[in-house]
Amino acid sequence: MAADAREAAAVPRRRQIRLTAEEEAEFLRDNPKCALATIDPDGFPHVVAMGFYVEDGVFYMTSYAKAQKVLNIRRNPKVGLMVEAGAGYAELKGVMVRGICEIIDDVETVRAVMNHRRRSPESGGSVESGRRGSLDTAPKRVVLKVTPHKTMSWDHTKLGGRY
């Protein structure tokens, strides 16, 4: 198959495997860990695992203010996020975001985000036990608020085993 024909076939397939808004919201609720990519001082990707939650289409997470990722974001607020699940190609499901990251250093906002992240659906929304001490670190932390510029998603199970 010629390269042009392959590219033309790929576009409809991308639409076919795209998550709906409802599927994407459910997937992000069920998979609260992401890879956050920033750009280091030498221009290379710096990728770290982060816990997050989404509210009104915006991603929230916290980090120590002196962490490399925060220093990178202060220099260049353009970031990438990826959340992916699935063991084999046919099971892969994910969301990738390109966005702008705002750093919020207000301690009460940091505590609010930390409390939101600590709430467990299994406990009916009450704060998980064993993590109360982590709120003591709030003065040393910042909120990373990522507003998506572009979002891409995929669900290979929609291919039904056809690639």
Side-chain angles (χ1 to χ4, degrees):
M1 182 184 294
D4 291 340
R6 280 194 304 270
E7 188 173 316
V11 173
R13 185 163 284 174
R14 271 185 283 223
R15 280 190 222 120
Q16 179 186 352
I17 65 173
R18 189 177 297 144
L19 295 170
T20 66
E22 296 78 19
E23 290 169 335
E24 185 176 307
E26 180 181 4
F27 177 76
L28 293 172
R29 266 192 314 273
D30 292 346
N31 296 278
K33 298 254 193 247
C34 71
L36 169 67
T38 62
I39 302 298
D40 77 10
D42 297 320
F44 288 97
H46 175 81
V47 183
V48 295
M50 298 289 290
F52 72 92
Y53 72 90
V54 180
E55 188 172 284
D56 298 326
V58 177
F59 291 73
Y60 293 89
M61 54 201 87
T62 68
S63 175
Y64 284 102
K66 293 182 179 181
Q68 185 62 53
K69 63 187 151 289
V70 176
L71 299 176
N72 293 343
I73 292 165
R74 288 191 194 284
R75 210 176 26 263
N76 181 351
K78 293 179 180 177
V79 300
L81 298 175
M82 188 174 84
V83 182
E84 190 170 54
Y89 184 83
E91 302 165 352
L92 291 179
K93 190 182 286 193
V95 174
M96 185 172 66
V97 172
R98 291 180 185 160
I100 301 298
C101 185
E102 175 186 351
I103 298 172
I104 303 169
D105 59 9
D106 173 70
V107 175
E108 290 310 311
T109 304
V110 170
R111 283 193 177 107
V113 170
M114 290 174 77
N115 273 325
H116 190 288
R117 287 243 330 102
R118 290 168 53 233
R119 296 194 185 284
S120 164
E122 298 81 32
S123 65
S126 65
V127 175
E128 294 177 20
S129 63
R131 295 193 185 171
R132 297 186 192 284
S134 66
L135 283 178
D136 296 341
T137 67
K140 299 176 184 179
R141 299 179 79 85
V142 295
V143 170
L144 303 179
K145 177 183 175 185
V146 178
T147 302
H149 172 71
K150 182 176 183 178
T151 302
M152 293 139 287
S153 66
W154 56 93
D155 180 355
H156 290 186
T157 66
K158 291 181 176 184
L159 294 173
R162 297 178 321 276
Y163 311 118

